[in-house]
Amino acid sequence: MKHTFLFILSIMIVFNAESQTVRGMVADQSHQPLIGATVMELGTQNGVVTGVNGDFSLKLSSRDSKLAISYSGFLADTLDADLSKMMHIMLQENAAELDEVVVQASSTFMDNLESKHIEVITEAELTKAPCCNLSESFETNASVDVSFTDAVSGAKTIRMLGLDGRYVQINRENVPNVRGLSGRYGLSYVPGTWVQSIDVGKGAGTVVNGFESMTGQINVELKKPENSEKLYLNAYANSFGRFEVNANHAKEINDRWSTGLLFHSNYFNNEIDQNDDGFMDLPKGRQVNVMNRYKYQGEKMVSQVGFTFMRDEKAGGQSGFDFGDDFRTSSEYGFMNNTTRIEVFGKTGLLFPSKPYKGWGFIYSASYLDIDGGFGRDNYEGTEKTLYGNVIFQNIIGNSFHQYKTGLSMLYDDFDEIYADSAFSRQEVVPGLYYEYTYSPGEKFTLLAGARTDFHNLYGTYFTPRLHSRFQFSENTTLRAAIGRGYRTPNTIVENSNILVSSRQLIIEENPEPEVSWNMGGSLVTAIKIGDKKLNLIADYFYTTFENQLIYDMDANSSQLRVYNLRGKSYAHSFQLEGNYQFSDRLSAKAAYKFYDVRATINGELREVPFNARDRFFLNTSYSTRFDKWEADATLQWFGAKRLPNTSDKPAEFQRGVSSPDFFLLNAQISRGFRWGNIYLGSENLLGFTQDDPIIDSDNPFSDNFDASLVWAPIAGRMIYAGFRYKIKN
C-alpha cells in the first residue's frame, strides 16, 4: 500500500554576499508554518530549528552548501541553497523517487545563531537507544549524566555540570514539569516515544521561563497534532521481563482544528536478583500514561489545550514483596511507590501577520500529584497542587536588531507530606515579572540580557539577572559567554529518597532556606578541516557557586543523614571537550572528556561531593547503510573513581572504601528499516559490569547497619532488548 504526501517548502531567502546567511520559512502543503522543523547544512553540525512562524536563519559555511530539511510526518529533503529565488519543492513518496532522496543530517546539533549554549537532540538521535522514558533519552549524549540513586527504588537521576539534576530546570514545552515532589521519579513519567526533540541548555537559562534554572535548562518538545504520525505503534521487551506498548495518533478534524493522542503502558513483574543478596535488583512496576490535546490554527491566533493522566506503581525490596503487600507489616523489607498525576495545560498565541516579530502568548498549566508509598516500616505520603501561568509579549524596538520579550508569571505550589511520624506542609505563591532584551545586529554578534523579579510569599523578593552573549569570529568559530543567578526551594524528603532505603535517621537541623546560586562560563565551538570533512570541536567551561545550598551530610555519622543550610563554601567547576567527525556519509563518531571538581562544606570541611566522578570519557559511533536500511550504534562510557560517604564508624564487616573503582559501561543497538518503520535489537550494560555488594547488611534489613543508598554503579547486569516501530504518516 502506497501513501503519497506533498511537502511544499516555501523558502523566502535573503542572502548577503559576505554573511552567507540563508533565511526562510518552512511550511506544509496548505502553507501553514511547520514549527520545529530541522534545517541543517548538509554534512555539518550546523543547523537550526524553525520558530513559531516556521521561520529560520542559518549561517552557511559555503555558497555551494546544500540544505537538509526534515520534519516528523513529512519526507525529508535536500536542496541547493539557491539564494536567487523563492523555491517550491514538491515531493512524492513512492518507490521510483525514494532512491533520489538521500539526506545525511546530524541527529544532534547546536543552533549557531542562538546566544545560549543549547544542543538540540532530535528524534533521529533518540531512536539510537530504546529511550523508554526521558531518563533514558541521554544515553548517546555527552552533556547529561544518568545514574541510579539507590539499590532498591530503581529511581534514576541526571547530573549536569557535575551537580544533581534538581539544579536543572526541566520543562515540557516551556512549562515547568519535573520538579517538586516529582523531582526524583518524574523523568520516568515522560515516555520516550512521545518526544519530538530535546533542547539541552548549559548554564542559567532564559528569565522568560522562571528563576529555577541554576546549572542548565532542558526543554522537551513532544509530538504535536500537526507533526505526529497518523498512527505510530511501538512494542518493546527485554530479557529482564519488562514489556512496553506505545501508540500515537494524530488527526486533522478540519482546516483549523487537529488533535493528537499519545498512549504509553509498561509492565514488569519479575524478581531479578543477580547478586543473590535477597533483594530485587529492580523494582516491579506498571504504568499507564495518556495525553490528549487539541490545536487550533488560525490566521491571527494559534491555540492548544490538552490533558494528561498518569498512574505509576512500583514494588521492590526483598524478594517476595509484591504489589498490594503492606510494607508496614510484611516480613520482607518492602518498598512501594504509587503515584497518580493529572494535568490540564494549554497555550494561546495572538499573531500579527503583517508584523511577524510581534505577538502575545499565554502558557498555563494546572496539575495534581499524589504519592502513596513507603520504605521498610516508614510510610511516605505526599500531594502537590500546582498552578502555573505565563503571559508573554514580544516586539522590536525600531528594527529587528533590537528585540524584546516581557511578561508576567505566576507559580502556585501547595505541598502536603507525611513521612513516618512527621508531617510537613507549605504553600508557595510566587508572582513575577520579567524583561529580556536581544541585540542582534548581524550574524557576528548577539547579546541577550534579561532580569526578573519574583515575590515569594515565604522567602521574600527574588531578583534574577542573566546575561548571554555570542561572538562569531569566523565561519567556523563561535564563542559564547553567560552569567546568571538562580533560586529554588528544596524538597528535603523527596530529594533524599535514596536515603530512605536505609536505617539512617533523618535529622533536619534547621529550617531549610532557598538555594541560591550564580553560574558563569561559556563555550567555544570551532571546526577543523581534515581532508574533505570537518572535525567539529566544542569546549565548554562553567563555574557554579552557591550563596546558599541545602547540605545533605552523610559523613558525620553513618547512621544519620544531617540536613542543614550551607555553612561555608560550595562550588562546582565543569569542563567538557567534545569532538565529532563524519568519516563518510555512513560512518560518524563523537567523543568527549569531562572533568568535574565539585566541593561543598560538609561536616565543617570543604570536600568533594560524594557519588560524583571527577573524570569521565564518552565515545559514540554510528553506522548506516544506504537509505538507512541498516543502522548500528554503540556508546562506551568510562567513569572515574567516586568519593563515597564515610562509613568508618560502622563495624569492620560493614565498612566501605573511601572511593569507588573506575568502570566502563557499553550500550549498543542495531536496527533494520522498512517502509513501514523498523525493528531493533540492542543491549544495555553489554559488558555486564555491576557494583559488588551494593547493600550493607542485606541479611538484616531492619538492623541499625542496613544501608542501600551507597550506589555508584549499575545493580543489574547485561540486559538484551528488542522492539519494533510502525508508522503511518499523515
Side-chain angles (χ1 to χ4, degrees):
M1 181 176 180
K2 297 181 179 178
H3 303 278
T4 303
F5 302 94
L6 301 179
F7 185 22
I8 301 178
L9 302 177
S10 300
I11 302 180
M12 298 170 291
I13 299 174
V14 179
F15 183 76
N16 180 294
E18 295 180 354
S19 68
Q20 296 178 169
T21 299
V22 57
R23 296 180 175 90
M25 185 183 83
V26 181
D28 63 13
Q29 69 237 30
S30 60
H31 302 285
Q32 293 294 334
L34 295 179
I35 304 167
T38 301
V39 182
M40 299 288 300
E41 183 178 7
L42 193 64
T44 73
Q45 297 285 310
N46 182 26
V48 295
V49 172
T50 56
V52 69
N53 297 312
D55 57 310
F56 71 90
S57 179
L58 179 62
K59 174 73 162 53
L60 302 176
S61 61
S62 170
R63 290 177 177 270
D64 300 324
S65 295
K66 291 180 178 290
L67 299 179
I69 304 175
S70 59
Y71 192 67
S72 180
F74 293 85
L75 189 64
D77 187 26
T78 56
L79 55 136
D80 293 320
D82 186 348
L83 309 175
S84 63
K85 64 180 181 179
M86 180 181 294
M87 304 177 67
H88 299 273
I89 307 299
M90 181 178 296
L91 295 179
Q92 186 174 0
E93 186 185 40
N94 59 35
E97 294 186 355
L98 183 62
D99 291 343
E100 299 175 12
V101 181
V102 180
V103 178
Q104 293 294 326
S106 176
S107 53
T108 62
F109 61 89
M110 289 190 64
D111 187 340
N112 278 358
L113 296 180
E114 172 63 60
S115 59
K116 301 182 288 297
H117 181 105
I118 295 179
E119 181 181 3
V120 180
I121 304 173
T122 68
E123 185 180 2
E125 181 73 9
L126 297 175
T127 59
K128 293 181 178 181
C131 293
C132 299
N133 55 61
L134 187 58
S135 70
E136 300 174 352
S137 298
F138 305 103
E139 292 183 356
T140 61
N141 180 269
S143 297
V144 181
D145 301 310
V146 182
S147 61
F148 286 100
T149 63
D150 58 80
V152 174
S153 71
K156 288 185 177 182
T157 185
I158 65 170
R159 303 184 77 92
M160 185 181 289
L161 305 188
L163 290 167
D164 189 88
R166 62 179 175 266
Y167 300 113
V168 180
Q169 184 178 34
I170 303 178
N171 296 336
R172 189 201 64 220
E173 298 178 354
N174 294 316
V175 175
N177 186 251
V178 181
R179 59 181 299 276
L181 300 189
S182 69
R184 267 297 179 245
Y185 298 99
L187 292 172
S188 65
Y189 301 157
V190 183
T193 55
W194 293 11
V195 178
Q196 175 186 322
S197 65
I198 303 173
D199 298 340
V200 179
K202 290 186 176 181
T206 170
V207 297
V208 175
N209 290 331
F211 53 82
E212 293 183 323
S213 171
M214 302 176 80
T215 60
Q217 191 171 67
I218 295 176
N219 185 57
V220 182
E221 290 291 330
L222 303 185
K223 294 184 177 181
K224 303 171 182 60
E226 72 273 16
N227 66 16
S228 184
E229 298 84 1
K230 181 178 181 180
L231 179 64
Y232 175 96
L233 297 175
N234 167 244
Y236 163 94
N238 68 33
S239 56
F240 292 160
R242 177 186 171 98
F243 299 92
E244 286 199 11
V245 175
N246 300 278
N248 302 342
H249 173 61
K251 180 181 179 181
E252 185 177 282
I253 300 174
N254 55 40
D255 60 347
R256 294 190 181 275
W257 283 95
S258 57
T259 183
L261 178 66
L262 307 176
F263 172 82
H264 166 85
S265 179
N266 66 63
Y267 183 77
F268 176 62
N269 196 32
N270 276 3
E271 295 186 356
I272 306 296
D273 182 15
Q274 295 179 335
N275 54 18
D276 297 323
D277 61 2
F279 276 75
M280 291 177 269
D281 298 336
L282 297 170
K284 302 172 184 178
R286 53 195 181 194
Q287 183 185 118
V288 174
N289 207 335
V290 180
M291 171 183 283
N292 184 209
R293 76 165 108 193
Y294 295 84
K295 181 172 182 180
Y296 171 82
Q297 177 75 53
E299 293 181 2
K300 295 186 178 181
M301 186 178 78
V302 178
S303 185
Q304 63 172 287
V305 63
F307 75 89
T308 64
F309 171 82
M310 190 279 303
R311 173 69 176 179
D312 182 80
E313 299 178 356
K314 291 183 173 66
Q318 283 187 301
S319 299
F321 189 80
D322 205 352
F323 296 109
D325 290 352
D326 189 342
F327 56 87
R328 301 173 188 86
T329 59
S330 172
S331 59
E332 296 95 8
Y333 183 98
F335 156 73
M336 185 184 76
N337 187 281
N338 298 330
T339 302
T340 302
R341 188 176 190 275
I342 303 171
E343 179 186 11
V344 177
F345 63 93
K347 298 181 181 182
T348 297
L350 300 180
L351 310 177
F352 298 83
S354 62
K355 299 178 180 179
Y357 48 79
K358 182 179 179 181
W360 285 92
F362 177 46
I363 303 174
Y364 59 90
S365 171
S367 64
Y368 172 79
L369 179 74
D370 178 81
I371 303 174
D372 180 18
F375 311 80
R377 295 285 184 255
D378 296 325
N379 66 302
Y380 174 80
E381 300 174 15
T383 61
E384 178 184 5
K385 306 177 188 73
T386 300
L387 295 174
Y388 172 78
N390 192 4
V391 179
I392 309 167
F393 175 71
Q394 66 177 31
N395 204 349
I396 63 174
I397 304 174
N399 57 53
S400 60
F401 287 1
H402 308 275
Q403 306 171 34
Y404 69 89
K405 293 181 181 178
T406 187
L408 304 171
S409 67
M410 170 64 77
L411 179 62
Y412 169 83
D413 283 310
D414 183 1
F415 297 97
D416 284 294
E417 296 177 274
I418 298 174
Y419 171 61
D421 57 357
S422 301
F424 310 87
S425 64
R426 73 178 189 272
Q427 285 187 349
E428 298 185 35
V429 183
V430 193
L433 53 93
Y434 56 86
Y435 183 89
E436 187 174 79
Y437 166 76
T438 302
Y439 175 60
S440 182
E443 73 284 347
K444 296 292 186 182
F445 175 73
T446 305
L447 176 70
L448 186 148
R452 64 177 295 130
T453 302
D454 295 272
F455 307 94
H456 202 293
N457 65 312
L458 299 179
Y459 303 115
T461 302
Y462 293 169
F463 177 67
T464 311
R466 291 174 183 172
L467 181 69
H468 300 264
S469 58
R470 182 189 66 90
F471 307 85
Q472 185 167 351
F473 296 113
S474 67
E475 293 180 357
N476 297 321
T477 304
T478 301
L479 175 69
R480 291 176 175 85
I483 184 172
R485 199 181 198 189
Y487 299 80
R488 68 178 300 273
T489 303
N491 294 279
T492 306
I493 299 176
V494 169
E495 291 169 8
N496 287 281
S497 60
N498 59 314
I499 302 300
L500 304 185
V501 288
S502 72
S503 61
R504 290 178 182 261
Q505 181 185 6
L506 177 63
I507 301 175
I508 303 177
E509 297 186 357
E510 56 188 321
N511 291 329
E513 295 293 329
E515 296 186 294
V516 187
S517 71
W518 283 90
N519 179 278
M520 59 203 76
S523 64
L524 179 67
V525 181
T526 189
I528 302 173
K529 196 163 186 178
I530 300 178
D532 60 345
K533 305 288 185 181
K534 287 183 178 179
L535 172 64
N536 298 288
L537 297 173
I538 304 174
D540 64 68
Y541 166 79
F542 288 90
Y543 172 69
T544 307
T545 180
F546 286 87
E547 294 181 17
N548 185 58
Q549 184 183 30
L550 199 60
I551 300 299
Y552 303 123
D553 185 351
M554 300 175 67
D555 291 286
N557 190 314
S558 64
S559 298
Q560 299 174 343
L561 172 68
R562 294 182 175 272
V563 182
Y564 46 84
N565 296 307
L566 181 64
R567 302 165 184 169
K569 296 181 179 181
S570 179
Y571 61 80
H573 295 277
S574 167
F575 171 76
Q576 177 173 318
L577 177 62
E578 180 177 352
N580 59 75
Y581 187 73
Q582 188 97 20
F583 291 94
S584 68
D585 291 342
R586 302 300 166 201
L587 178 64
S588 64
K590 59 182 176 181
Y593 167 74
K594 293 182 286 187
F595 170 82
Y596 298 135
D597 181 17
V598 185
R599 298 176 183 268
T601 304
I602 303 173
N603 194 26
E605 179 184 349
L606 183 64
R607 58 192 312 179
E608 288 187 7
V609 172
F611 306 116
N612 189 66
R614 188 179 179 91
D615 301 281
R616 303 188 183 204
F617 178 76
F618 170 95
L619 175 65
N620 172 261
T621 59
S622 299
Y623 177 79
S624 62
T625 61
R626 195 179 185 194
F627 312 127
D628 295 336
K629 188 174 182 179
W630 288 93
E631 294 181 277
D633 294 273
T635 301
L636 178 69
Q637 297 187 71
W638 173 77
F639 298 83
K642 304 178 183 180
R643 186 182 82 81
L644 301 180
N646 177 35
T647 56
S648 61
D649 56 350
K650 283 186 176 295
E653 65 269 27
F654 299 134
Q655 293 180 14
R656 294 293 185 264
V658 296
S659 63
S660 71
D662 64 311
F663 63 95
F664 287 91
L665 290 181
L666 176 63
N667 298 333
Q669 177 181 285
I670 186 170
S671 64
R672 170 64 161 88
F674 302 91
R675 293 188 180 279
W676 50 264
N678 64 24
I679 57 175
Y680 55 92
L681 174 70
S683 175
E684 294 184 357
N685 195 6
L686 190 57
L687 301 177
F689 180 84
T690 58
Q691 178 179 338
D692 292 332
D693 198 15
I695 301 178
I696 297 177
D697 201 9
S698 60
D699 293 334
N700 302 288
F702 299 105
S703 71
D704 292 338
N705 292 308
F706 173 74
D707 196 339
S709 66
L710 306 184
V711 170
W712 46 267
I715 306 301
R718 182 184 302 107
M719 183 268 286
I720 308 297
Y721 64 85
F724 72 86
R725 305 179 183 97
Y726 175 79
K727 301 179 181 181
I728 299 178
K729 297 181 180 179
N730 266 318

